[in-house]
Amino acid sequence: MSIPQFKLIVVGDGCTGKTTFISRHQSGEFQRKYIPTIGVDVRLLPFYTSVGEVHFEVHDTAGQEKFGGLRDAHYINSNACFLFFDVTSRATYNNVESWYSDVDHICPDIPYILIGNKCDVQNREVRTQAVNWHRKKGIKYVEMSAKSNYNYEVPFLLLCRILARDESLNFTQAPALVPAEINMSEQQMNQIHNDMMKANMAALPDQDE
């Protein structure tokens, strides 16, 4: 029996942590030095779930505008997309709509996961409660931190559940990660979790009173 394989594109502004996120899933290491992706980097990541093994062919796109034409060619035949922004940079969140439009133009009706990276930072520019773009599109939102390993597997778990149409799906093997660079407090993790739940469940902006 063949193993299901999906093409996943990872998009967002440069320096939002896309490559670090993918690299650590593959090697278990945190990439301390920022190295811009030139064009598109392709990696194959296996995941082991309660409904079987699944592979993602991950296309990590460059965040720089000058690679726009090359990126567009790699969007073709994509099955899903991770939209990245950096919670310490409001500009990267403001650009999410543009990234979504670029992908949706070529790959309409694919599932997306919106990812707010670097949530371990206290001095952030984008608060969880202010993240509402995903509500309009019916997209799941998750905050994560590469340095602390917080929620590192959640984007892939949510995507696997969407693709399998099974909310009870779980991973049977956890990604191999090196020890966290920093430790987030239990209080901080609980606060982020509660804020994300509220953000995902909140009414659409045009329905707000």
Side-chain angles (χ1 to χ4, degrees), residues 80-209:
C81 177
F82 284 165
L83 292 164
F84 259 76
F85 74 95
D86 175 355
V87 300
T88 70
S89 170
R90 186 172 301 279
T92 64
Y93 174 63
N94 292 340
N95 289 335
V96 165
E97 174 72 42
S98 177
W99 287 103
Y100 171 82
S101 297
D102 286 349
V103 175
D104 186 62
H105 176 70
I106 297 173
C107 306
D109 303 320
I110 64 172
Y112 293 81
I113 303 293
L114 177 64
I115 301 170
N117 193 24
K118 307 181 186 180
C119 68
D120 57 275
V121 179
Q122 296 287 348
N123 187 24
R124 51 191 286 173
E125 293 186 2
V126 185
R127 296 292 174 184
T128 307
Q129 298 90 332
V131 179
N132 55 36
W133 175 85
H134 66 290
R135 303 185 219 163
K136 307 172 187 177
K137 306 293 184 182
I139 293 172
K140 295 285 189 181
Y141 172 54
V142 61
E143 291 187 355
M144 52 154 278
S145 163
K147 288 186 176 181
S148 70
N149 292 342
Y150 176 71
N151 276 352
Y152 218 67
E153 77 289 352
V154 173
F156 278 105
L157 177 61
L158 292 176
L159 183 56
C160 284
R161 287 175 175 175
I162 292 171
L163 293 171
R165 297 176 181 173
D166 184 354
E167 286 298 315
S168 66
L169 179 149
N170 282 301
F171 288 144
T172 56
Q173 293 184 30
L177 299 177
V178 296
E181 292 279 309
I182 62 172
N183 292 316
M184 294 173 64
S185 69
E186 192 73 24
Q187 181 180 7
Q188 185 180 6
M189 290 188 288
N190 287 337
Q191 184 64 53
I192 292 172
H193 175 76
N194 291 335
D195 287 345
M196 280 196 301
M197 290 289 289
K198 292 176 182 177
N200 283 323
M201 295 173 64
L204 290 169
D206 60 357
Q207 295 175 337
D208 291 343
E209 296 181 359

Side-chain angles (χ1 to χ4, degrees), residues 9 37-42 58-62 67 70-72 74:
I9 49 175
T37 299
I38 305 301
V40 177
D41 182 27
V42 181
V58 184
H59 290 238
D60 173 19
T61 65
F67 296 114
L70 180 58
R71 285 197 312 264
D72 290 351
H74 279 267

